[in-house]
Each structure stands twice: as C-alpha cells, then as structure tokens.
Amino acid sequence: MAASKRKRGGDRAFDKKGKKGKFVVDKDETPPETEQEAKNEVTVPAPVSLGKWTNKERVLIFSSRGINFRTRHLMQDLRTMMPHSKADTKMDRKDKLFVVNEVCEIKNCNKCLFFEAKKKQDLYMWISNCPHGPSAKFLVQNIHTLAELKMTGNCLKGSRPLLSFDPKFDKEPQYALLKELFIQTFSTPHYHPKSQPFVDHVYTFSIADNRIWFRNYQIIEEDASLVEIGPRFVLNLIKIFQGSFGGPTLYENPNFRSPNLHRQQIRLAAAAKVREKQLVKEIQKIKREDAKEEVDNDVTADVFVTPDEQKPVHIQTEPPTPKVVKKKHKPFKRERMQRGRR
C-alpha cells in the first residue's frame, strides 16, 4: 500500500521501487494543460541499498602499552580501512589477556585485533573470535604504513573490499581455519551503516616462506589492473588456540623462531667472528716468532769465527794515578781587544 503525504509543492506518491514527483504551479496562476503536467513529472531513482544490516560483525582494534609510532599508525590505518571497527584505550601490561574478552563484551564486539608489544621492539598480533574462540597469535614483521609508503593507489573510504587468498589456504587445516577468521574479521558486513556500496579495492593474503603476506590493492576500472595502496605487513604464525586468548593449543608452528633466539644467534655469530679474527692474529704472531728463531740460530754463522786469545785476568789493587790536565790560558777581553788593535 503506497502512503501519500501532502506537502506545499503538491502531492507525491512514494514507492520502494522509485519516487514520482509532480510540479504544481501556484494557486493564483492558471493550471497548465495535461501535456505540460506530464512533462513536469520527474521520477527519482530508487536508493542503491534497500537491504537490512543483518551481519552484525564488529571488530575491536586496540593494543597494549609500550607500542611504537609505527604500530600506532598501523592500527589507525586498519581502523580507516574497516568501517565496522571500534577503538579502545591501551591495555595495561599487568592485566591478563582474558580481560580482552570483557572489553569486547563491553564494546559489543565479537572479533578482536589486539597488538601486544614486548621489549619495545617485538610486536605480536592476536586475532580472536570473542568470547568462545578460536584465536591465533602472530609475530608481525616488515610493517609499512600508509603514510610511509606513499603509493599511487587510492580507494573510497568505507567501501567494501574483495578478499583474495592463496590456494595454499585450502590445502592445510590450520590455514583453512585462519582463512575463515580473516574472512569474518576483515570483510565489511553487507549494508553496514558506515560502509559504502562499492567494491574498489582488494585485500590479498598470500603464503610465502611459511608466512602470511598482507597487501591492499586498488582495482582500476579501465583495465581492472591493481595498484597498491597500503599498508603492508607480514604475519608469522606462532600458535592457534581453541579458546579466545588462551585454551588448548590446536596448532603450533614448528618453523617459528622467537625474536629473542634470533637476536641471540646473531650476537653469537658476531662473537664467533671476533674470536676467529683474534685466533688468526695469534697464529700469525706465533709463526713470525718461529721464523725469527730460525734465522737467529743459523748453523753456518760460526764457520769462520776464530777463538780469541785468552788474556790473564788482572786485578787492580791500587787506585790509578790522576791525570794532570793543563788548562789553556784564555786572555781576558781587554787583552783580546788590545791584540786586535795591534
């Protein structure tokens, strides 16, 4: 049933498929002919989105204290890219990770991206389905933010992205679980109030070197080519848990090395190089000393040496006689002047 409303300009009939409007002249003027009225009718097209927002996915993006500027910019970029995200204040380091589930419940979020900083140089990312799980923990490497990259790509803020996954995600069970987590977290819900009904960029998740590489590209309309927008980062999987931020371990990456162990190996390798250089110097010094001894102990050096005559040892019992030293007479200055005048 179409509802009718009376306004100052005239009568307009509203429908879901479209809107029809009729332009009516003022009361003082004479009404136009029927053909003119037909020309003045304008049909307003229907809105782009007529559906309802049913997928109520909300993602909470926040971090712990101690993060650096690069992580802060990365979080801001993710919030800009995901219109269904929410922000919160930094969490204290002393709090347990289970507190994040309570924060998500307060914020009415069912997904969470939590960035955990350690030693002001290592960054870990938790992606979790709150409050029942599962959850995964990653080491974030090679972070490049939007402001840092300055790529030529661009997209509409709030537009819905395409998600592209590597074929390896369907071959192994741990990657299949991560694929479902990524789909539910990064995809913008249909008919979200803050989203735009356009698809002009794509998120790619590719697997290389046992790591997940994230990229964001713009889709160009002319030839459907891709231009990178940013940000970009690499996720190194550590563990997958059954619960949210804990619980039984479903999968543990055997190829993962902690950054502490990696730095320790670098330090040990540098120390081994220094010790090797010192050992080479000591060996060269010993070789030089051995060569000197061989030259000093020449066997043929004593062939032409004749023994000296042995002189009797004379012991002096009396002190030697003092030598008389005759002093030369040096004339005075006056005598020298007189001699010079003569």
Side-chain angles (χ1 to χ4, degrees):
M1 181 178 179
S4 60
K5 295 184 180 180
R6 189 169 299 277
K7 295 189 177 180
R8 281 181 291 180
D11 297 336
R12 290 184 184 179
F14 293 87
D15 193 7
K16 283 188 177 180
K17 296 182 180 178
K19 298 179 182 179
K20 288 186 178 181
K22 187 185 294 183
F23 295 96
V24 181
V25 295
D26 296 335
K27 294 180 180 179
D28 299 335
E29 298 180 7
T30 58
E33 297 178 358
T34 55
E35 294 180 1
Q36 189 68 22
E37 289 181 358
K39 289 182 180 179
N40 287 338
E41 275 193 18
V42 177
T43 303
V44 181
V48 179
S49 173
L50 289 174
K52 292 184 179 180
W53 177 33
T54 56
N55 183 12
K56 299 298 179 75
E57 293 283 351
R58 297 181 182 90
V59 184
L60 181 64
I61 303 176
F62 72 118
S63 69
S64 65
R65 296 196 180 276
I67 61 171
N68 54 8
F69 71 98
R70 195 183 297 272
T71 309
R72 189 173 67 252
H73 290 179
L74 176 63
M75 285 197 306
Q76 189 60 39
D77 294 343
L78 290 176
R79 289 168 187 159
T80 307
M81 291 161 44
M82 301 161 64
H84 61 293
S85 64
K86 288 188 177 182
D88 194 32
T89 57
K90 295 178 184 177
M91 197 179 75
D92 197 359
R93 291 181 183 177
K94 297 178 182 178
D95 295 338
K96 301 288 185 180
L97 287 176
F98 293 104
V99 181
V100 181
N101 294 325
E102 299 177 5
V103 177
C104 290
E105 186 178 356
I106 293 170
K107 289 283 185 178
N108 195 18
C109 296
N110 49 9
K111 295 291 184 296
C112 181
L113 284 177
F114 178 68
F115 292 90
E116 186 181 7
K118 290 185 178 179
K119 295 188 176 181
K120 295 185 178 181
Q121 53 185 347
D122 301 331
L123 180 65
Y124 298 91
M125 187 184 83
W126 287 83
I127 177 170
S128 174
N129 180 25
C130 299
H132 303 295
S135 59
K137 185 179 181 182
F138 301 92
L139 175 68
V140 187
Q141 299 171 324
N142 301 337
I143 300 173
H144 299 283
T145 59
L146 277 171
E148 179 185 359
L149 286 175
K150 295 181 180 177
M151 295 289 185
T152 56
N154 195 7
C155 66
L156 185 66
K157 184 177 179 181
S159 59
R160 303 181 66 238
L162 293 174
L163 268 67
S164 172
F165 289 93
D166 195 281
K168 294 181 182 177
F169 275 96
D170 298 326
K171 295 179 180 178
E172 299 184 18
Q174 69 271 14
Y175 288 132
L177 177 60
L178 292 177
K179 178 181 177 180
E180 188 62 30
L181 265 177
F182 289 148
I183 289 173
Q184 295 182 15
T185 304
F186 286 94
S187 62
T188 303
H190 204 20
Y191 302 121
H192 191 277
K194 293 184 180 179
S195 66
Q196 300 288 340
F198 306 103
V199 178
D200 57 355
H201 63 291
V202 55
Y203 299 157
T204 62
F205 297 89
S206 54
I207 298 175
D209 195 20
N210 295 318
R211 291 169 173 82
I212 300 172
W213 301 67
F214 176 85
R215 296 290 184 270
N216 181 20
Y217 295 98
Q218 176 196 359
I219 304 173
I220 298 178
E221 296 180 1
E222 288 78 11
D223 53 353
S225 60
L226 299 179
V227 179
E228 187 170 357
I229 304 171
R232 55 164 67 170
F233 52 87
V234 180
L235 300 176
N236 192 359
L237 178 62
I238 302 174
K239 282 184 180 181
I240 300 177
F241 300 96
Q242 185 177 353
S244 178
F245 295 96
T249 303
L250 297 179
Y251 175 78
E252 186 174 358
N253 188 6
N255 301 317
F256 174 73
R257 286 191 308 167
S258 67
N260 293 331
L261 180 62
H262 181 63
R263 286 190 290 266
Q264 182 185 5
Q265 290 177 351
I266 292 175
R267 288 195 300 268
L268 291 176
K273 283 185 179 180
V274 173
R275 283 198 299 270
E276 187 179 355
K277 286 182 180 180
Q278 291 178 351
L279 186 61
V280 169
K281 285 183 179 179
E282 290 177 1
I283 292 172
Q284 290 176 353
K285 186 178 179 182
I286 292 171
K287 284 183 179 179
R288 284 196 297 267
E289 290 177 354
D290 293 343
K292 270 187 180 179
E293 290 178 0
E294 290 177 1
V295 172
D296 294 341
N297 300 331
D298 191 3
V299 182
T300 60
D302 300 336
V303 173
F304 300 102
V305 174
T306 55
D308 296 336
E309 295 180 0
Q310 293 183 357
K311 295 181 180 180
V313 180
H314 177 69
I315 299 173
Q316 189 175 359
T317 56
E318 296 179 357
T321 55
K323 294 181 179 181
V324 180
V325 180
K326 293 182 179 180
K327 294 183 179 180
K328 293 182 179 180
H329 177 67
K330 188 176 180 181
F332 294 103
K333 184 177 180 181
R334 187 181 297 173
E335 294 179 1
R336 288 199 302 271
M337 292 174 67
Q338 289 177 0
R339 289 178 185 176
R341 288 173 185 173
R342 291 176 188 173

